[in-house]
């Protein structure tokens, strides 16, 4: 799945829940180097984390779940969702979720 960079570095927003950005970070812990993934959804208006979860892997399932939680907390999905071009964000499942919730997807350059 491909999308344009609609956000185009317009990181300052005038209202809450208009643009959400997201990323997933791998966290290693313990001496055995166990790994988990931290998924965060950030509202650009206040530039604060709206919601986050930890999952065992980076998949579209975890990505969709964090957006479902953010949607429930905010009372709806932001109209513009900006992500990088990672596999979870370019997946058909994630993009179908956004489209079915009237979310427009923007990819970083």
């Amino acid at each position: 799945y491909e999308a344009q960079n609609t956000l185009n570095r317009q990181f300052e927003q005038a209202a809450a829940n208009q643009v959400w950005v997201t990323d997933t970070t791998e966290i290693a812990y313990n001496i055995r180097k166990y790994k988990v993934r931290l998924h965060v959804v950030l509202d650009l208006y206040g530039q604060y984390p709206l919601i986050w979860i930890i999952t065992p892997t980076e998949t579209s399932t975890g990505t969709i779940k964090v957006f479902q939680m953010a949607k429930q907390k905010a009372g709806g999905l932001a109209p513009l969702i900006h992500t990088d071009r990672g596999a979870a964000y370019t997946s058909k499942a994630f993009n179908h979720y956004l489209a079915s919730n009237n979310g427009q997807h923007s990819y970083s350059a």
Side-chain angles (χ1 to χ4, degrees):
Y1 182 86
E2 291 284 329
Q4 298 298 314
N5 183 356
T6 307
L7 183 60
N8 199 26
R9 303 189 60 79
Q10 300 299 312
F11 297 122
E12 292 187 31
Q13 295 296 309
N17 299 317
Q18 296 303 302
V19 180
W20 292 346
V21 296
T22 188
D23 203 0
T24 303
T25 301
E26 182 178 88
I27 300 171
Y29 65 95
N30 199 311
I31 60 172
R32 293 187 176 90
K33 303 280 186 195
Y34 295 132
K35 295 178 183 178
V36 293
R37 296 289 181 151
L38 172 64
H39 302 260
V40 178
V41 175
L42 184 83
D43 187 334
L44 280 185
Y45 175 64
Q47 298 188 2
Y48 64 90
L50 181 63
I51 199 88
W52 58 270
I53 61 169
I54 294 175
T55 62
T57 61
E58 181 180 7
T59 64
S60 59
T61 303
T63 302
I64 292 168
K65 182 175 180 176
V66 75
F67 274 90
Q68 289 170 332
M69 294 168 63
K71 178 183 170 188
Q72 182 177 10
K73 182 175 181 178
L77 194 70
L80 184 62
I81 307 299
H82 186 75
T83 72
D84 64 17
R85 297 174 188 265
Y89 303 123
T90 59
S91 70
K92 287 182 183 180
F94 180 68
N95 284 282
H96 176 74
Y97 173 77
L98 291 184
S100 66
N101 285 277
N102 298 317
Q104 181 183 1
H105 198 173
S106 170
Y107 282 137
S108 58

